[in-house]
Amino acid sequence: MIDIKKIADEADMIISGYAFTRTGEKIRVLNLNNTSRAAVLTVNGEILEASMPDIELMIVSKYYDQNREFMEA
């Protein structure tokens, strides 16, 4: 079972129920309200993997693009 609280606590940024966590050169995104929906982005915002519908993926990408400055180390 996924520990949503742990994921949220370790996330670098949470926007509208999406946890963004930087792991090396990748950004892992998890929908905290539906944990079957996730994505992996590059630090430049390119989509590498996704298990979410296209419209949700576009929303997540937009959130990341608008707020990526807060993820920089």
Side-chain angles (χ1 to χ4, degrees), residues 18-70:
Y18 294 97
F20 293 78
T21 306
R22 184 172 181 157
T23 306
E25 293 298 310
K26 296 180 183 174
I27 306 297
R28 297 184 181 278
V29 184
L30 179 67
N31 182 335
L32 297 172
N33 297 308
N34 184 347
T35 57
S36 67
R37 296 184 175 179
V40 179
L41 311 173
T42 66
V43 292
N44 295 324
E46 296 173 38
I47 301 161
L48 297 176
E49 297 178 49
S51 64
M52 54 181 63
D54 290 343
I55 188 73
E56 187 175 13
L57 196 53
M58 288 184 348
I59 291 166
V60 165
S61 293
K62 185 175 178 181
Y63 285 153
Y64 178 69
D65 286 339
Q66 292 176 339
N67 296 283
R68 76 171 68 185
E69 66 191 85
F70 302 111

